[in-house]
Short mmCIF file of all heavy atoms in Angstrom, two decimals:
data_model
loop_
_atom_site.label_atom_id
_atom_site.label_comp_id
_atom_site.label_asym_id
_atom_site.label_seq_id
_atom_site.Cartn_x
_atom_site.Cartn_y
_atom_site.Cartn_z
N ASP L 644 102.02 111.89 102.47
CA ASP L 644 101.72 112.55 103.76
C ASP L 644 101.98 111.62 104.94
O ASP L 644 102.53 112.03 105.96
CB ASP L 644 100.24 113.01 103.80
CG ASP L 644 100.02 114.27 102.98
OD1 ASP L 644 101.05 114.86 102.57
OD2 ASP L 644 98.87 114.64 102.73
N VAL L 645 101.59 110.35 104.79
CA VAL L 645 101.75 109.39 105.90
C VAL L 645 103.22 109.15 106.17
O VAL L 645 103.68 109.21 107.31
CB VAL L 645 101.05 108.05 105.58
CG1 VAL L 645 101.20 107.10 106.75
CG2 VAL L 645 99.58 108.27 105.29
N VAL L 646 103.98 108.89 105.09
CA VAL L 646 105.42 108.62 105.28
C VAL L 646 106.10 109.87 105.84
O VAL L 646 106.98 109.79 106.70
CB VAL L 646 106.07 108.17 103.95
CG1 VAL L 646 107.54 107.85 104.17
CG2 VAL L 646 105.36 106.94 103.41
N LYS L 647 105.63 111.06 105.37
CA LYS L 647 106.25 112.31 105.84
C LYS L 647 106.03 112.50 107.34
O LYS L 647 106.92 112.94 108.07
CB LYS L 647 105.66 113.50 105.07
CG LYS L 647 106.45 114.79 105.27
CD LYS L 647 105.85 115.95 104.50
CE LYS L 647 106.13 115.85 103.03
NZ LYS L 647 105.67 117.02 102.29
N SER L 648 104.83 112.14 107.83
CA SER L 648 104.56 112.33 109.27
C SER L 648 105.42 111.37 110.10
O SER L 648 105.75 111.65 111.24
CB SER L 648 103.08 112.13 109.58
OG SER L 648 102.70 110.81 109.31
N CYS L 649 105.80 110.22 109.52
CA CYS L 649 106.67 109.28 110.25
C CYS L 649 108.13 109.74 110.21
O CYS L 649 108.89 109.49 111.13
CB CYS L 649 106.56 107.89 109.65
SG CYS L 649 104.91 107.20 109.86
N VAL L 650 108.52 110.40 109.10
CA VAL L 650 109.91 110.87 108.97
C VAL L 650 110.09 112.19 109.71
O VAL L 650 111.19 112.55 110.11
CB VAL L 650 110.25 111.05 107.46
CG1 VAL L 650 111.62 111.66 107.28
CG2 VAL L 650 110.21 109.71 106.77
N GLY L 651 108.97 112.91 109.93
CA GLY L 651 109.05 114.25 110.54
C GLY L 651 109.68 114.26 111.93
O GLY L 651 110.21 115.27 112.38
N THR L 652 109.61 113.11 112.64
CA THR L 652 110.16 113.07 114.00
C THR L 652 111.65 112.75 114.01
O THR L 652 112.26 112.66 115.05
CB THR L 652 109.44 111.99 114.83
OG1 THR L 652 109.71 110.72 114.24
CG2 THR L 652 107.95 112.22 114.86
N LYS L 653 112.23 112.56 112.82
CA LYS L 653 113.63 112.09 112.75
C LYS L 653 114.56 113.24 112.40
O LYS L 653 114.15 114.31 112.00
CB LYS L 653 113.78 111.01 111.67
CG LYS L 653 112.70 109.95 111.68
CD LYS L 653 112.95 108.93 112.76
CE LYS L 653 111.87 107.87 112.72
NZ LYS L 653 111.83 107.07 113.91
N PHE L 654 115.85 112.92 112.45
CA PHE L 654 116.90 113.87 112.08
C PHE L 654 116.75 114.28 110.61
O PHE L 654 116.99 115.41 110.23
CB PHE L 654 118.27 113.22 112.32
CG PHE L 654 119.42 113.92 111.67
CD1 PHE L 654 119.99 115.03 112.28
CD2 PHE L 654 119.94 113.48 110.46
CE1 PHE L 654 121.04 115.69 111.67
CE2 PHE L 654 121.00 114.13 109.86
CZ PHE L 654 121.56 115.24 110.47
N ILE L 655 116.31 113.31 109.78
CA ILE L 655 116.20 113.55 108.34
C ILE L 655 114.98 114.41 108.00
O ILE L 655 114.73 114.72 106.85
CB ILE L 655 116.16 112.18 107.59
CG1 ILE L 655 116.60 112.31 106.15
CG2 ILE L 655 114.78 111.56 107.67
CD1 ILE L 655 116.69 111.00 105.41
N GLY L 656 114.21 114.79 109.03
CA GLY L 656 112.97 115.55 108.84
C GLY L 656 113.12 116.80 107.98
O GLY L 656 112.21 117.20 107.27
N ARG L 657 114.32 117.43 108.03
CA ARG L 657 114.53 118.66 107.23
C ARG L 657 114.49 118.37 105.73
O ARG L 657 114.18 119.23 104.92
CB ARG L 657 115.89 119.27 107.57
CG ARG L 657 115.88 119.97 108.92
CD ARG L 657 117.27 120.23 109.43
NE ARG L 657 118.10 120.91 108.46
CZ ARG L 657 119.44 120.95 108.53
NH1 ARG L 657 120.06 120.32 109.51
NH2 ARG L 657 120.14 121.61 107.63
N TRP L 658 114.84 117.14 105.38
CA TRP L 658 114.80 116.76 103.96
C TRP L 658 113.65 115.78 103.74
O TRP L 658 113.76 114.83 102.97
CB TRP L 658 116.12 116.10 103.55
CG TRP L 658 117.29 117.00 103.67
CD1 TRP L 658 117.74 117.90 102.75
CD2 TRP L 658 118.18 117.12 104.79
NE1 TRP L 658 118.85 118.57 103.22
CE2 TRP L 658 119.14 118.10 104.48
CE3 TRP L 658 118.25 116.49 106.03
CZ2 TRP L 658 120.15 118.47 105.35
CZ3 TRP L 658 119.26 116.85 106.91
CH2 TRP L 658 120.20 117.83 106.57
N SER L 659 112.54 116.01 104.44
CA SER L 659 111.47 114.99 104.45
C SER L 659 110.92 114.72 103.05
O SER L 659 110.61 113.58 102.72
CB SER L 659 110.35 115.39 105.40
OG SER L 659 109.82 116.63 105.04
N ASP L 660 110.80 115.75 102.20
CA ASP L 660 110.25 115.53 100.84
C ASP L 660 111.11 114.54 100.07
O ASP L 660 110.62 113.62 99.42
CB ASP L 660 110.17 116.85 100.06
CG ASP L 660 109.07 117.74 100.61
OD1 ASP L 660 108.18 117.19 101.29
OD2 ASP L 660 109.11 118.97 100.39
N LEU L 661 112.44 114.74 100.17
CA LEU L 661 113.38 113.86 99.47
C LEU L 661 113.31 112.45 100.03
O LEU L 661 113.25 111.46 99.29
CB LEU L 661 114.80 114.42 99.63
CG LEU L 661 115.92 113.57 99.02
CD1 LEU L 661 115.87 113.63 97.52
CD2 LEU L 661 117.29 114.03 99.51
N ALA L 662 113.28 112.34 101.38
CA ALA L 662 113.26 111.02 102.03
C ALA L 662 111.99 110.25 101.66
O ALA L 662 112.05 109.05 101.40
CB ALA L 662 113.34 111.20 103.55
N VAL L 663 110.87 110.96 101.62
CA VAL L 663 109.59 110.32 101.28
C VAL L 663 109.62 109.81 99.84
O VAL L 663 109.21 108.68 99.55
CB VAL L 663 108.43 111.33 101.45
CG1 VAL L 663 107.15 110.81 100.85
CG2 VAL L 663 108.22 111.64 102.92
N LYS L 664 110.15 110.63 98.95
CA LYS L 664 110.23 110.25 97.53
C LYS L 664 111.11 109.01 97.37
O LYS L 664 110.76 108.06 96.68
CB LYS L 664 110.80 111.43 96.72
CG LYS L 664 110.75 111.23 95.23
CD LYS L 664 111.19 112.52 94.51
CE LYS L 664 111.30 112.29 93.01
NZ LYS L 664 112.24 111.24 92.62
N ILE L 665 112.26 109.01 98.07
CA ILE L 665 113.19 107.87 98.00
C ILE L 665 112.50 106.61 98.52
O ILE L 665 112.54 105.55 97.88
CB ILE L 665 114.48 108.16 98.81
CG1 ILE L 665 115.34 109.18 98.07
CG2 ILE L 665 115.27 106.90 99.09
CD1 ILE L 665 116.58 109.62 98.81
N ALA L 666 111.83 106.73 99.68
CA ALA L 666 111.20 105.55 100.30
C ALA L 666 110.13 104.97 99.40
O ALA L 666 110.09 103.75 99.17
CB ALA L 666 110.61 105.94 101.66
N LEU L 667 109.26 105.82 98.86
CA LEU L 667 108.15 105.32 98.03
C LEU L 667 108.67 104.73 96.71
O LEU L 667 108.19 103.70 96.25
CB LEU L 667 107.13 106.42 97.76
CG LEU L 667 106.26 106.78 98.97
CD1 LEU L 667 105.40 108.00 98.68
CD2 LEU L 667 105.37 105.63 99.40
N ASP L 668 109.69 105.40 96.12
CA ASP L 668 110.27 104.89 94.87
C ASP L 668 110.86 103.50 95.08
O ASP L 668 110.66 102.58 94.29
CB ASP L 668 111.39 105.83 94.36
CG ASP L 668 110.81 106.99 93.58
OD1 ASP L 668 109.58 107.05 93.48
OD2 ASP L 668 111.58 107.85 93.09
N ALA L 669 111.63 103.37 96.18
CA ALA L 669 112.31 102.10 96.45
C ALA L 669 111.30 100.98 96.69
O ALA L 669 111.45 99.88 96.16
CB ALA L 669 113.22 102.25 97.67
N VAL L 670 110.26 101.27 97.45
CA VAL L 670 109.27 100.23 97.76
C VAL L 670 108.50 99.83 96.51
O VAL L 670 108.25 98.64 96.27
CB VAL L 670 108.31 100.71 98.88
CG1 VAL L 670 107.11 99.80 98.99
CG2 VAL L 670 109.04 100.76 100.20
N GLU L 671 108.15 100.81 95.67
CA GLU L 671 107.44 100.49 94.43
C GLU L 671 108.31 99.64 93.50
O GLU L 671 107.84 98.74 92.81
CB GLU L 671 107.03 101.78 93.71
CG GLU L 671 105.68 102.30 94.18
CD GLU L 671 105.32 103.63 93.54
OE1 GLU L 671 105.80 103.88 92.42
OE2 GLU L 671 104.60 104.41 94.16
N THR L 672 109.62 99.95 93.50
CA THR L 672 110.54 99.22 92.61
C THR L 672 110.64 97.75 93.02
O THR L 672 110.60 96.87 92.17
CB THR L 672 111.94 99.86 92.66
OG1 THR L 672 111.83 101.24 92.34
CG2 THR L 672 112.88 99.21 91.66
N VAL L 673 110.76 97.47 94.32
CA VAL L 673 111.00 96.08 94.74
C VAL L 673 109.70 95.29 94.96
O VAL L 673 109.75 94.13 95.32
CB VAL L 673 111.88 95.98 96.02
CG1 VAL L 673 113.21 96.64 95.80
CG2 VAL L 673 111.19 96.58 97.23
N MET L 674 108.57 95.93 94.74
CA MET L 674 107.29 95.24 94.96
C MET L 674 107.07 94.18 93.86
O MET L 674 107.19 94.47 92.68
CB MET L 674 106.13 96.24 94.96
CG MET L 674 104.81 95.60 95.31
SD MET L 674 103.60 96.77 95.94
CE MET L 674 103.27 97.75 94.52
N LEU L 675 106.78 92.96 94.30
CA LEU L 675 106.61 91.86 93.36
C LEU L 675 105.26 91.21 93.63
O LEU L 675 104.96 90.82 94.76
CB LEU L 675 107.73 90.84 93.60
CG LEU L 675 107.96 89.78 92.53
CD1 LEU L 675 108.43 90.43 91.24
CD2 LEU L 675 109.01 88.77 93.00
N THR L 676 104.42 91.12 92.61
CA THR L 676 103.10 90.50 92.80
C THR L 676 103.03 89.21 92.00
O THR L 676 103.20 89.22 90.78
CB THR L 676 101.98 91.45 92.35
OG1 THR L 676 102.17 92.70 93.01
CG2 THR L 676 100.62 90.91 92.71
N GLU L 677 102.83 88.09 92.70
CA GLU L 677 102.73 86.79 92.04
C GLU L 677 101.51 86.05 92.59
O GLU L 677 101.34 85.96 93.81
CB GLU L 677 103.98 85.94 92.32
CG GLU L 677 105.16 86.33 91.45
CD GLU L 677 106.39 85.49 91.76
OE1 GLU L 677 106.35 84.72 92.74
OE2 GLU L 677 107.38 85.61 91.03
N ASN L 678 100.69 85.53 91.70
CA ASN L 678 99.48 84.77 92.08
C ASN L 678 98.61 85.54 93.09
O ASN L 678 98.14 84.96 94.07
CB ASN L 678 99.87 83.41 92.68
CG ASN L 678 100.74 82.62 91.73
OD1 ASN L 678 100.62 82.79 90.53
ND2 ASN L 678 101.62 81.81 92.27
N GLY L 679 98.50 86.85 92.89
CA GLY L 679 97.66 87.65 93.79
C GLY L 679 98.30 88.00 95.12
O GLY L 679 97.71 88.69 95.94
N ARG L 680 99.53 87.48 95.37
CA ARG L 680 100.22 87.80 96.63
C ARG L 680 101.28 88.86 96.38
O ARG L 680 102.02 88.79 95.40
CB ARG L 680 100.90 86.55 97.22
CG ARG L 680 99.93 85.60 97.92
CD ARG L 680 100.63 84.37 98.47
NE ARG L 680 101.56 84.73 99.53
CZ ARG L 680 102.87 84.56 99.44
NH1 ARG L 680 103.42 84.10 98.33
NH2 ARG L 680 103.65 84.88 100.45
N THR L 681 101.33 89.86 97.27
CA THR L 681 102.32 90.92 97.12
C THR L 681 103.48 90.67 98.07
O THR L 681 103.28 90.43 99.25
CB THR L 681 101.69 92.29 97.43
OG1 THR L 681 100.55 92.45 96.60
CG2 THR L 681 102.66 93.41 97.16
#
């Protein structure tokens, strides 16, 4: 919901569900946690 409200003001807003899914997937993929630091 949060990412969607930020994308809603953009040109890509019509495909907001897809954009949100892509953004969250990408961020989760590259997230690296070492020694308690993200």
Side-chain angles (χ1 to χ4, degrees):
D644 283 350
V645 182
V646 182
K647 193 180 286 185
S648 64
C649 295
V650 174
T652 63
K653 315 281 182 196
F654 165 81
I655 203 175
R657 285 164 52 198
W658 297 276
S659 58
D660 289 340
L661 176 71
V663 169
K664 188 174 174 301
I665 287 176
L667 287 173
D668 277 1
V670 167
E671 273 176 28
T672 305
V673 301
M674 186 158 67
L675 195 65
T676 308
E677 281 179 353
N678 305 330
R680 282 179 65 245
T681 304

